[in-house]
Amino acid sequence: MGKQGNYSFTGHIRPRQIRAGALRLRATFCLGGFSFLAFIVLTITGVLLLFYYQPGDRAFASLSEINSVLPYGGFLRSLHFWAGQLMVISVFLHMVRVVWSRAYRPLRELNWITGVVLFGLTVILDYSGYLLRGGQESGAAATVGQALFTSLPGGKALATVFFGQPSPLNGSTLNMFVWHVFILAGAVGFLQMFHFWRIRRGGGVRPL
Ligand code: HEM
């Protein structure tokens, strides 16, 4: 296969040749693919929720309206919520599979590190989504998160950056909304593309 077939855009999306064994179910259990599927579901349902969700003081009320007024609104929220929980579980299991098949070793170290960052970001993304509810349970989760942050060195400043300062300009969930929708989801989307590119550069999935 020529260089073009290996490294062109279409070559990455649908490589003509892959290693024998990489397609076996027990090579991957399709856990990376499942994580990406969850991310696609989250992106689609998240964009649909953006049409009705109101960050700030109306967060909780707007979510109740999505449940009660919007046709299939409750279903949309449930899909978004459960895809988030499943993504955290499947990314974790994918990481376990990578350890099990020792795919973190050379040539794949950079993709292992990218994966560790992706795992951390996925957990924080899930957490930040929970805070967007703006109800009492979100308040309790925010208090726990702030305490965790402030126990770190320099954590007070970090907590201010992440949770924001409550002010009349910044409704309780507005800060978290920006993190959730733009910064965290954007970073996970970008790093996933980098991850897929590195899989191809590392010679594809490592067969057991
Ligand atoms: C957003 C989350 C992630 C997505 C969507 C994702 C997706 C994928 C996909 C589709 C593959 C191809 C093989 C497979 O399906 O198992 C793969 C391989 C790989 N992933 Fe991930 N991944 C994610 C997170 C992680 C994490 C948390 C780690 C480890 C810390 C990791 C490390 C790797 C490595 C080293 C490979 C190459 C595996 C091999 O050569 O056998 N990934 N990833």
Side-chain angles (χ1 to χ4, degrees):
M1 185 168 45
K3 198 172 165 49
Q4 187 65 15
N6 265 328
Y7 300 120
S8 72
F9 182 70
T10 46
H12 283 301
I13 298 278
R14 198 166 184 279
R16 267 182 273 168
Q17 289 180 355
I18 54 168
R19 287 208 207 161
L23 272 183
R24 265 193 226 128
L25 184 64
R26 75 186 188 105
T28 60
F29 297 101
C30 205
L31 287 163
F34 192 75
S35 309
F36 187 54
L37 176 67
F39 183 76
I40 293 173
V41 173
L42 283 163
T43 307
I44 296 171
T45 52
V47 168
L48 292 175
L49 284 170
L50 278 183
F51 283 101
Y52 299 98
Y53 175 75
Q54 294 171 302
D57 294 337
R58 290 257 318 137
F60 190 79
S62 69
L63 286 172
S64 307
E65 284 159 19
I66 289 175
N67 273 351
S68 57
V69 181
L70 187 71
Y72 300 105
F75 179 62
L76 188 64
R77 279 189 69 193
S78 292
L79 260 184
H80 194 74
F81 175 80
W82 284 108
Q85 312 319 304
L86 287 176
M87 181 166 173
V88 171
I89 295 169
S90 92
V91 171
F92 175 74
L93 292 178
H94 171 58
M95 198 165 158
V96 172
R97 190 286 291 176
V98 167
V99 174
W100 179 52
S101 58
R102 295 199 243 169
Y104 48 80
R105 293 193 298 187
L107 301 159
R108 296 176 174 79
E109 310 98 310
L110 182 57
N111 230 8
W112 165 257
I113 295 167
T114 311
V116 173
V117 176
L118 270 171
F119 176 64
L121 287 178
T122 305
V123 172
I124 300 172
L125 189 59
D126 198 33
Y127 171 72
S128 65
Y130 190 68
L131 298 193
L132 289 188
R133 289 185 172 180
Q136 261 183 6
E137 78 273 39
S138 303
T143 310
V144 174
Q146 272 165 332
L148 274 174
F149 261 101
T150 26
S151 66
L152 296 169
K156 219 167 174 205
L158 269 178
T160 312
V161 172
F162 190 58
F163 292 94
Q165 293 274 25
S167 80
L169 280 179
N170 173 4
S172 50
T173 56
L174 187 55
N175 206 81
M176 211 36 77
F177 179 70
V178 176
W179 279 103
H180 184 77
V181 175
F182 296 102
I183 306 175
L184 292 169
V188 169
F190 174 80
L191 280 179
Q192 284 177 136
M193 296 307 117
F194 181 74
H195 195 62
F196 300 154
W197 175 69
R198 283 305 311 175
I199 293 168
R200 296 282 302 138
R201 290 310 297 261
V205 171
R206 184 173 185 273
L208 282 175

